């Protein structure tokens, strides 16, 4: 965090300062800000966030032992450290981020990008951060830090030397993107797609689309909206963007897109296509597996060009990215048995895309194996969507469908009902049972996809398989 006095931090968060030791209101603090006491180091600020399972106030002492010099708390704690008492620690974290980013932005050198979408946020963030890093100091979220805590924690990493802040915004419910993006008012916003991921928490896909459009409403004017021209619900947001005075730039494969992809070819070594940008056609060779990542690359490329990056430079930097993120289409295993660990998260759209990629990269003498767990947060659509994925797996001729966990049983039943018989589809109760089955079932020439929602935890099964066949 930039250097601020205790008095300035107190004013930013609207709290009550209680100094300790040799501190005064004019003491300057400029360390890391986080809600995790394990990340603390000398000079840090610890935000004691109450949680459903534990309470951050219990860890103030541990944070101080690790080097924290200030705690933002909801009630005083009997620990010898300066404290700012606030009514809501999470709100205070956001307000501190607002103040810090505002000060840095006032210097005139900071450009802010906001990214949202039902799928692809983290991959697009990583692509764009890689492109921008060669232009100047770039701050972007670690992993998927896109919620009410992760987004402000990322924002607070900016310094007076930061040229770009790339923020990723997830939607916990209606209004959440508006609140988070409203802290920084991005100069450029990217909306990737509207799908059924988390639709159960919104009341349907149209409500999800409205939630995603909150990012367009939060953009700074004049600014730019980079929208997926292939997604009708996203492309419809151009009316809102234009009404607000934003420049709209489309990406995708449709004629409406200004930045387009042609001739997409997927292989086991990556994905190639031709990019049409700024009136020229250029080849792109992504190392990341899957045709769906072309959309994410297009979004990042479009945003980068709008920020002044030369298209040739942006494409060259995209081609250096080896994986989108850990547990996202991550190649593991060896040449004999290849594992694709894509179990960080799953929605109907990403599940279908991953299955299609598995089918595309598997040769005629190789065998496709899909290890699938449940997709969470689908609400009333859960049963129907698991049915659809089971049917798709059979129609793609996936030779072994291994369904893990009771929540995914309907996917297994749909696959059997579609004609996956004779042990082509199996249902196993948990990860350990699946590992034991796969340990003896997998053979040379197998190409294995591991895919589930994060809460199911199949990413750990993917790691175990990757290590087994390394």
């Amino acid at each position: 965090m930039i250097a601020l006095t205790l008095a300035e931090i107190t004013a930013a968060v609207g709290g009550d300062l209680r100094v300790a030791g040799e501190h005064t209101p004019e003491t300057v603090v400029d360390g890391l800000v986080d809600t995790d006491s394990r990340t603390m180091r000398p000079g840090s600020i610890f935000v004691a966030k109450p949680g459903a399972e534990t309470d951050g106030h219990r860890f103030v002492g541990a944070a101080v032992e690790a080097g924290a010099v200030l705690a933002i708390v909801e009630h005083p704690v009997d620990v010898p450290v300066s404290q700012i008492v606030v009514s809501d620690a999470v709100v205070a974290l956001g307000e501190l981020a607002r103040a810090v980013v505002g000060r840095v932005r006032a210097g005139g050198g900071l450009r802010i990008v906001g990214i949202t979408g039902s799928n692809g946020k983290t991959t697009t963030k990583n692509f764009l951060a890689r492109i921008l890093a060669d232009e100047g100091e770039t701050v972007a979220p670690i992993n998927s830090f896109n919620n009410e805590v992760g987004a402000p924690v990322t924002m607070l990493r900016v310094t007076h030397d930061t040229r770009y802040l790339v923020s990723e915004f997830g939607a916990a419910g209606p209004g959440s993107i508006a609140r988070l993006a409203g802290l920084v008012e991005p100069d450029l916003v990217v909306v990737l797609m509207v799908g059924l991921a988390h639709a159960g928490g919104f009341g349907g896909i149209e409500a999800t689309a409205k939630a995603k459009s909150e990012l367009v409403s939060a953009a700074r004017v004049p600014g730019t909206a980079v929208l997926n021209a292939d997604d009708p619900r996203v492309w419809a947001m151009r009316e809102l963007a234009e009404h607000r005075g934003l420049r709209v730039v489309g990406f995708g494969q449709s004629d409406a897109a200004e930045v387009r992809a042609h001739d997409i070819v997927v292989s086991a070594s990556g994905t190639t296509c031709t990019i049409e940008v700024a009136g020229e056609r250029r080849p792109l060779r992504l190392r990341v597996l899957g045709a769906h990542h072309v959309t994410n690359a297009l979004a990042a490329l479009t945003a980068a060009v709008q920020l002044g990056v030369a298209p040739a430079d942006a494409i060259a930097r995209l081609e250096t990215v080896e994986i989108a993120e850990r547990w996202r289409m991550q190649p593991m295993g060896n040449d004999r048995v290849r594992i694709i660990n894509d179990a960080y998260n799953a929605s109907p759209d990403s599940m279908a895309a991953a299955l299609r990629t598995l089918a595309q990269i598997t040769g005629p003498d190789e065998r496709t194996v899909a290890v699938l767990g449940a997709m969470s947060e689908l609400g009333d659509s859960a049963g129907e969507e698991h049915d659809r994925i089971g049917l798709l797996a059979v129609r793609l001729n996936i030779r072994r469908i291994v369904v893990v966990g009771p929540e995914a049983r309907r996917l297994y039943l749909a696959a059997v009902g579609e004609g996956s018989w004779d042990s082509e589809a199996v249902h196993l109760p948990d990860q350990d049972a699946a590992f034991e089955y796969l340990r003896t079932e997998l053979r040379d020439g197998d190409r294995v996809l591991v895919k589930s929602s994060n809460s199911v935890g199949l990413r750990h099964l993917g790691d175990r398989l990757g290590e087994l066949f390394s």
Side-chain angles (χ1 to χ4, degrees):
M1 188 185 75
I2 63 173
L4 294 174
T5 67
L6 295 181
E8 288 172 326
I9 297 172
T10 302
V13 302
D16 176 25
L17 175 62
R18 304 186 181 197
V19 295
E22 298 179 356
H23 282 180
T24 73
E26 298 310 309
T27 298
V28 174
V29 178
D30 62 356
L32 169 81
V33 183
D34 205 344
T35 61
D36 188 341
S37 62
R38 296 167 296 182
T39 68
M40 295 290 103
R41 52 182 183 258
S44 296
I45 300 171
F46 178 64
V47 180
K49 180 182 78 72
E53 297 181 1
T54 188
D55 186 344
H57 294 80
R58 296 173 51 197
F59 300 96
V60 173
V64 173
E65 288 180 6
V69 297
L70 174 66
I72 297 176
V73 297
E74 294 184 2
H75 57 77
V77 178
D78 187 17
V79 175
V81 65
S82 293
Q83 301 174 34
I84 299 175
V85 182
V86 297
S87 59
D88 188 311
V90 173
V91 171
L93 177 66
E95 291 305 312
L96 182 57
R98 185 198 304 273
V100 166
V101 172
R103 286 193 178 215
V104 174
R105 190 181 223 162
L110 179 65
R111 303 291 299 279
I112 301 174
V113 179
I115 300 172
T116 195
S118 297
N119 294 298
K121 295 184 292 297
T122 299
T123 300
T124 303
K125 172 262 298 184
N126 288 341
F127 281 156
L128 182 57
R130 172 62 191 91
I131 295 170
L132 296 178
D134 286 356
E135 300 291 316
E137 181 179 301
T138 300
V139 171
I142 300 169
N143 299 322
S144 293
F145 277 24
N146 59 27
N147 63 9
E148 61 183 359
V149 171
V153 164
T154 298
M155 296 168 188
L156 285 163
R157 289 168 43 212
V158 302
T159 71
H160 290 294
D161 295 324
T162 303
R163 186 170 177 186
Y164 301 104
L165 168 63
V166 181
S167 288
E168 176 185 339
F169 297 113
S176 61
I177 291 177
R179 288 191 297 274
L180 291 174
L183 298 175
V184 294
E185 296 181 345
D187 302 289
L188 183 149
V189 297
V190 180
V191 185
L192 297 166
M193 65 171 297
V194 174
L196 284 170
H198 315 300
F202 292 92
I205 196 165
E206 296 304 329
T208 301
K210 185 176 180 179
K212 302 302 180 186
S213 72
E214 292 172 8
L215 184 57
V216 177
S217 297
R220 174 169 286 205
V221 178
T224 304
V226 173
L227 304 178
N228 185 351
D230 296 340
D231 186 316
R233 292 182 176 86
V234 174
W235 194 231
M237 296 178 194
R238 69 188 186 279
E239 182 177 346
L240 170 62
E242 291 168 349
H243 176 74
R244 296 198 62 242
L246 302 174
R247 180 168 186 263
V248 174
V249 184
F251 64 91
Q253 298 180 58
S254 73
D255 291 340
E258 292 184 35
V259 181
R260 291 196 289 275
H262 306 276
D263 307 322
I264 299 172
V265 177
V266 179
S267 71
S269 60
T271 308
T272 64
C273 64
T274 299
I275 301 294
E276 185 176 346
V277 55
E280 298 182 352
R281 291 195 173 204
R282 299 177 181 272
L284 171 65
R285 297 174 180 83
L286 282 178
R287 300 188 194 186
V288 180
L289 296 176
H292 53 295
H293 285 310
V294 171
T295 298
N296 302 327
L298 282 175
L301 173 63
T302 306
V305 170
Q306 296 306 305
L307 293 168
V309 181
D313 290 340
I315 288 173
R317 295 166 196 171
L318 280 172
E319 292 181 335
T320 68
V321 180
E322 295 185 1
I323 63 170
E325 181 85 38
R326 187 182 180 191
W327 300 316
R328 286 179 168 88
M329 299 302 287
Q330 181 180 1
M332 306 178 78
N334 54 39
D335 289 339
R336 296 181 297 104
V337 178
R338 291 185 179 176
I339 312 295
I340 303 171
N341 193 349
D342 192 34
Y344 186 83
N345 225 328
S347 68
D349 294 310
S350 68
M351 185 79 83
L355 285 169
R356 292 190 181 100
T357 299
L358 176 65
Q360 290 169 331
I361 68 172
T362 303
D365 297 326
E366 299 169 341
R367 184 175 67 158
T368 50
V369 180
V371 183
L372 307 176
M375 301 174 288
S376 60
E377 300 182 51
L378 295 179
D380 293 339
S381 302
E384 178 183 346
E385 293 302 324
H386 282 87
D387 288 349
R388 188 168 69 87
I389 294 303
L391 298 179
L392 177 64
V394 176
R395 291 168 184 174
L396 288 172
N397 197 30
I398 305 300
R399 302 309 299 269
R400 283 288 183 272
I401 303 170
V402 181
V403 181
V404 184
E407 298 86 355
R409 181 172 175 78
R410 189 155 167 178
L411 191 161
Y412 163 74
L413 294 175
V416 172
E418 185 66 7
S420 185
W421 305 328
D422 193 25
S423 300
E424 291 178 357
V426 297
H427 180 252
L428 299 165
D430 53 40
Q431 290 189 47
D432 289 338
F435 180 78
E436 290 304 315
Y437 170 81
L438 292 164
R439 187 169 60 85
T440 57
E441 170 66 20
L442 296 182
R443 65 194 190 203
D444 287 2
D446 281 351
R447 301 297 177 252
V448 186
L449 170 70
V450 182
K451 183 74 172 169
S452 75
S453 281
N454 195 9
S455 59
V456 179
L458 289 197
R459 62 194 183 280
H460 303 302
L461 174 61
D463 286 343
R464 293 172 70 186
L465 293 171
E467 182 176 352
L468 179 66
F469 293 101
S470 62

